[in-house]
């Protein structure tokens, strides 16, 4: 794992802040690319003032070398490599190595890494009993949160965050076992027996086999579909300091073990404004049902008094096209073509909705483009996954990013427990009144 050179970020410039006639100089830093950053970390100690930034729209929470997004340009880089190039030429395991280690692997490094991941895909057999404790109709994301959190109980020999070897073992265990856990959650939710991992298959291939094979008959993974799945994993592998990654970092900042931190990230990802959006987007397309009903839903999305939003549109950071959506759209068409899916009414709704939203003044003005979740839902449905599994697949792929970000945080000498402050608007100090007098 890499350590970074912090001195490179100093610009020597300062920003001046004046409060009640008193002036404060705040250091300005420069990243490798992207906007400059004003350091307010000493502001409270110096001035007695906090900064206020709900939703962290102007706040950098950490100094990271892993992923870069330029929302205006619609650019996403993993360790400097464009997502389009990685998705077109690389594999998910190569991408995982890159995110974890900072560089693309040599063929020797790649062999060692992929062997290590491939040979640790099985989970502790007792986890089979653990999964059976869930309700029959449990949402697979609920099972994911529970199972990944429970890994700290099954693999407690890799929970010491101060031991570099244990951190490495925990990181690899998570990347290796998360597809097995995700497939177990799926099989349990549909009442089929668990299919054990196969180490002769590639990462995505093995996952598809665990999801769709049954003991009663032979199952062969279509290589075009396996490649599309691998691409989907690459596209979702990391995304800078989004809500779930920040959750992983915040949980990890207290010294919590890595399995508990990733479980916290999965819980955060579940929300419909984040990873749950692909499930929500597909449910929305199903609800719209036919092309003639689109105007009704577009009107609802534009109505300020209606909380309805077009799921799969808009992004906090991308105010231009989501670069992942471009690759995802292409992968979506490849899958549909391979599977011979042409006349799907939901697809007609999706294509027409995309066309309308891209030309509608409201969406154009607010720069609300289709995001990755708009196309991933359609693709995953075509692959045979129920919508409840969509966020699980997102969590599977994002585990790699979370693990890389967690490792970076643990090794960061500037790292302290995350402890935001608040603008308190509640009652001023007052005296307790006895129950009888209230
Ligand atoms: N449909 C209709 N209007 C929208 C939408 C939408 N999907 N998204 C934003 N707006 C409007 C919003 O009402 C607001 O209007 P106004 O300025 O008149 O009040 C304006 O656009 C800005 O919205 P915001 O909520 O301030 O933007 P945000 O950056 O806080 O939210 C978002 C980003 C992704 C949560 C939001 O666009 C949204 O809820 N989209 C639908 C859910 C979705 O697809 N999420 C997946 C994100 S990509 C996957 C990931 O990275 O997790």
């Amino acid at each position: 794992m890499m350590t970074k050179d912090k001195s490179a970020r100093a610009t020597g410039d300062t920003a001046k802040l004046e409060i009640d006639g008193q002036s404060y100089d705040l250091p300005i830093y420069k990243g490798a690319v992207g906007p400059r950053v004003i350091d307010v970390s000493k502001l409270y100690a110096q001035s007695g003032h906090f900064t206020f930034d709900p939703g962290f729209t102007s706040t950098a929470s950490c100094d990271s070398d892993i992923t870069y997004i330029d929302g205006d340009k619609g650019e996403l880089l993993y360790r400097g490599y464009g997502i389009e190039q990685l998705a077109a030429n690389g594999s998910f395991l190569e991408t995982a190595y890159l995110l974890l280690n900072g560089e693309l692997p040599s063929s020797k490094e790649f062999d060692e890494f992929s062997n290590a991941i491939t040979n640790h895909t099985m989970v502790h057999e007792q986890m089979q009993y653990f999964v059976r404790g869930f309700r029959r109709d449990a949402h697979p994301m609920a099972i994911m949160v529970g199972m990944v959190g429970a890994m700290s109980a099954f693999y407690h020999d890799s929970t010491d965050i101060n031991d570099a070897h244990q951190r490495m073992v925990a990181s690899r265990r998570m990347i290796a076992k998360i597809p097995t856990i995700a497939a177990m959650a799926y099989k349990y939710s549909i009442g089929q027996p668990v299919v054990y991992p196969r180490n002769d298959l590639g990462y995505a291939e093995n996952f598809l086999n665990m999801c769709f094979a049954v003991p009663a008959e032979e199952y062969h993974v279509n290589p075009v579909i396996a490649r599309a799945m691998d691409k989907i994993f690459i596209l979702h592998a990391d995304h800078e300091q989004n809500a779930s990654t920040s959750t992983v970092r915040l949980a990890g900042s207290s010294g919590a073990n890595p399995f508990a931190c990733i479980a916290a990230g999965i819980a955060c990802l579940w929300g419909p404004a984040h990873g749950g959006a692909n499930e929500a987007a597909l449910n929305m397309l199903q609800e719209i049902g036919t092309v003639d009903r689109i105007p009704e839903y577009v009107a609802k999305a534009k109505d300020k008094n209606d909380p309805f939003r077009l799921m799969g549109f808009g992004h906090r950071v991308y105010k231009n096209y989501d670069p992942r959506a471009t690759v995802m759209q292409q992968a979506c068409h490849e899958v549909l073509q391979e599977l011979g899916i042409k006349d799907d009414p939901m697809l007609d709704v999706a294509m027409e909705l995309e066309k309308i939203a891209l030309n509608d003044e409201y969406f154009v003005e607010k720069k609300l483009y289709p995001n990755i979740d708009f196309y991933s839902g359609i693709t995953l449905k075509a692959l045979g996954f129920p919508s409840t599994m969509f966020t699980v697949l997102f969590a599977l792929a994002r585990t790699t990013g979370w693990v890389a970000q967690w490792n970076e945080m643990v090794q960061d000498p500037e790292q302290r427990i995350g402890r935001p402050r608040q603008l308190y608007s509640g009652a001023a100090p007052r005296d307790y009144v006895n129950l009888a007098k209230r």
Side-chain angles (χ1 to χ4, degrees), residues 72-114:
D72 294 324
K73 273 207 240 162
E75 182 177 65
L76 168 62
L77 310 176
Y78 293 166
R79 302 281 192 183
Y81 295 101
I83 191 68
E84 300 83 355
Q85 289 188 30
L86 288 168
N89 309 307
S91 70
F92 177 70
L93 278 188
E94 238 183 317
T95 305
Y97 183 97
L98 172 71
L99 287 168
L100 280 171
N101 299 286
E103 297 297 336
L104 285 167
S106 65
S107 52
K108 192 167 161 239
E109 287 164 338
F110 183 66
D111 283 350
E112 189 277 325
F113 181 71
S114 53

Side-chain angles (χ1 to χ4, degrees), residues 239 272-275 277 301 304 309-316 319 324 362-363 366 368 371-373 394:
H239 212 227
H274 192 7
K304 276 216 163 300
R309 285 184 170 201
L310 279 190
M311 286 292 136
F313 284 81
H315 198 273
R316 167 60 64 81
K319 300 305 173 194
R324 302 168 302 170
Y362 173 93
F363 290 89
K366 293 186 190 298
L368 299 171
N371 57 47
I372 186 171
D373 292 321
F394 191 159

Side-chain angles (χ1 to χ4, degrees), residues 54-343:
F56 307 112
T57 49
S58 300
T59 298
S61 62
C62 61
D63 178 349
S64 179
D65 288 358
I66 302 174
T67 294
Y68 174 73
I69 301 173
D70 186 326
D72 294 324
K73 273 207 240 162
E75 182 177 65
L76 168 62
L77 310 176
Y78 293 166
R79 302 281 192 183
Y81 295 101
I83 191 68
E84 300 83 355
Q85 289 188 30
L86 288 168
N89 309 307
S91 70
F92 177 70
L93 278 188
E94 238 183 317
T95 305
Y97 183 97
L98 172 71
L99 287 168
L100 280 171
N101 299 286
E103 297 297 336
L104 285 167
S106 65
S107 52
K108 192 167 161 239
E109 287 164 338
F110 183 66
D111 283 350
E112 189 277 325
F113 181 71
S114 53
N115 279 338
I117 298 296
T118 308
N119 288 311
H120 290 91
T121 46
M122 277 172 66
V123 296
H124 196 291
E125 192 60 18
Q126 264 180 291
M127 289 192 97
Q128 305 284 356
Y129 304 113
F130 183 75
V131 77
R132 285 180 200 153
F134 283 97
R135 258 179 75 134
R136 169 72 184 83
D137 55 355
H139 193 292
M141 276 300 274
I143 301 181
M144 290 292 284
V145 176
M147 294 277 279
V148 173
M151 282 178 85
S152 29
F154 287 98
Y155 301 101
H156 45 76
D157 59 340
S158 55
T159 51
D160 179 356
I161 68 159
N162 298 313
D163 179 333
H165 180 72
Q166 290 201 26
R167 287 199 303 268
M168 189 268 282
V169 172
S171 303
R172 291 182 169 194
R173 271 183 173 152
M174 247 164 321
I175 295 169
K177 296 182 197 306
I178 197 91
T180 314
I181 292 176
M184 279 166 81
Y186 174 54
K187 286 297 199 189
Y188 186 74
S189 73
I190 57 168
Q192 285 187 5
V194 161
V195 173
Y196 285 101
R198 272 182 44 194
N199 293 354
D200 60 323
L201 301 179
Y203 194 82
E205 216 183 350
N206 173 48
F207 175 64
L208 289 167
N209 189 65
M210 287 190 291
C211 287
F212 298 123
V214 286
E217 60 191 38
E218 281 271 312
Y219 176 78
H220 294 289
V221 181
N222 177 332
V224 176
I225 301 303
R227 176 69 192 128
M229 188 83 259
D230 201 65
K231 229 184 236 189
I232 294 174
F233 291 160
I234 295 173
L235 294 178
H236 288 87
D238 197 42
H239 212 227
E240 208 226 62
Q241 306 310 321
N242 55 81
S244 57
T245 303
S246 298
T247 301
V248 169
R249 280 186 177 258
L250 196 56
S253 77
S254 72
N257 77 67
F259 304 108
C261 297
I262 303 302
I266 296 173
C268 176
L269 187 75
W270 196 355
H274 192 7
N278 50 16
E279 181 177 349
L282 198 90
N283 291 342
M284 178 193 75
L285 293 175
Q286 262 156 356
E287 192 186 311
I288 297 175
T290 48
V291 169
D292 58 302
R293 295 190 64 204
I294 294 177
E296 183 194 325
Y297 281 83
V298 170
K300 264 163 77 73
K302 287 159 53 171
D303 182 356
K304 276 216 163 300
N305 299 317
D306 192 324
F308 175 77
R309 285 184 170 201
L310 279 190
M311 286 292 136
F313 284 81
H315 198 273
R316 167 60 64 81
V317 181
Y318 295 120
K319 300 305 173 194
N320 195 326
Y321 215 81
D322 177 345
R324 302 168 302 170
T326 316
V327 183
M328 196 65 237
Q329 186 193 37
Q330 194 196 337
C332 178
H333 288 300
E334 280 164 18
V335 165
L336 297 175
Q337 196 182 346
E338 178 66 20
L339 298 176
I341 301 174
K342 281 193 212 103
D343 302 320

Side-chain angles (χ1 to χ4, degrees), residues 405-418:
Q405 300 268 353
W406 174 82
N407 273 290
E408 184 181 63
M409 185 210 63
V410 171
Q411 292 171 82
D412 186 346
E414 281 183 343
Q415 192 272 318
R416 302 169 71 194
I417 185 165

